[in-house]
Amino acid sequence: MTGIEALDILIAEFTKLPGVGRKTATRYAYSVLEMPKEEVDCFASALAVVQDKVHFCSLCGNYTEGDVCDICQSRDKSVICVVKEPQDAMAFEKVKDYKGVYHVLHGALDPLRGVGVNDIRIKELLSRLDGVKEVIMATNPDAEGEATALYIARLIKPLGVKVTRLAHGLPIGSDIEYADEVTLGRALSDRKDM
């Protein structure tokens, strides 16, 4: 605690961000104090604007400012890459090799935490399969990601749609959003049938 109420509140707010502990939050708060007023106003405005304008794409569940994201509007809809979170789709976009569309589940099956099939966007995925030739399961290679991929594959394969899984160049237990472009590119190009 700094003893300055406004500063302590700002530090507490920064600690709500993922991966930001008290020490980093304090550093951020002091950085804001040292910014010119115009920069602070721009920073605050950017936070408000992103909350007002950015929402989920009505088709894939990724972030967008429109009803349907640019990827869904312009890409090959016959291949869908299923990811856990929007950050995972953005990680694949850095690879620049993938030309299909995405489907963001917004979670993974995790019965121990009470996350079941109705808590993530599986029904929405199933409703998008008309004309789809391949579904790439690109969930994280951890227990929840594997369980989610297997569950979805069992639903889709009887429909005659090819279901593939990323190659296991990704370390078990890692998150896709933190993988480098080369590893993701190889995992995508070496994917296997499920």
Side-chain angles (χ1 to χ4, degrees), residues 22-40:
R22 181 133 182 98
K23 191 174 185 179
T24 300
T26 302
R27 205 167 58 243
Y28 289 169
Y30 280 107
S31 293
V32 169
L33 281 175
E34 294 169 5
M35 286 177 163
K37 173 124 175 62
E38 302 81 43
E39 285 183 29
V40 173

Side-chain angles (χ1 to χ4, degrees), residues 15-188:
T15 63
K16 293 177 182 177
L17 296 172
V20 177
R22 181 133 182 98
K23 191 174 185 179
T24 300
T26 302
R27 205 167 58 243
Y28 289 169
Y30 280 107
S31 293
V32 169
L33 281 175
E34 294 169 5
M35 286 177 163
K37 173 124 175 62
E38 302 81 43
E39 285 183 29
V40 173
D41 290 343
C42 285
F43 185 72
S45 175
L47 292 173
V49 167
V50 80
Q51 276 291 305
D52 289 340
K53 289 190 174 184
V54 178
H55 53 271
F56 297 128
C57 171
S58 62
L59 294 177
C60 72
N62 204 350
Y63 290 120
T64 185
E65 288 186 26
D67 179 50
V68 176
C69 72
D70 292 342
I71 293 171
C72 284
Q73 290 181 39
S74 63
R75 295 284 226 5
D76 177 6
K77 293 167 186 57
S78 71
V79 180
I80 299 175
C81 182
V82 178
V83 295
K84 179 181 174 186
E85 301 293 345
Q87 299 89 314
D88 299 333
M90 292 305 102
F92 280 107
E93 284 302 290
K94 291 178 190 172
V95 176
K96 300 194 186 317
D97 287 342
Y98 181 64
K99 304 300 180 209
V101 294
Y102 296 96
H103 185 83
V104 182
L105 294 170
H106 293 282
L109 297 176
D110 190 351
L112 296 176
R113 291 194 174 98
V115 180
V117 295
N118 294 321
D119 299 313
I120 59 177
R121 300 182 68 247
I122 295 174
K123 289 177 193 165
E124 292 85 347
L125 172 62
L126 296 175
S127 73
R128 297 180 66 193
L129 296 180
D130 189 37
V132 171
K133 296 176 184 169
E134 180 183 6
V135 173
I136 304 166
M137 295 307 305
T139 53
N140 290 326
D142 55 17
E144 294 81 16
E146 289 296 322
T148 304
L150 286 171
Y151 179 81
I152 292 172
R154 286 186 184 130
L155 293 175
I156 294 175
K157 285 176 80 173
L159 303 175
V161 176
K162 180 179 181 179
V163 181
T164 57
R165 184 79 169 121
L166 292 180
H168 287 286
L170 296 170
I172 299 298
S174 68
D175 287 338
I176 287 174
E177 71 177 288
Y178 300 117
D180 64 274
E181 291 87 4
V182 173
T183 301
L184 274 179
R186 284 187 183 146
L188 187 61

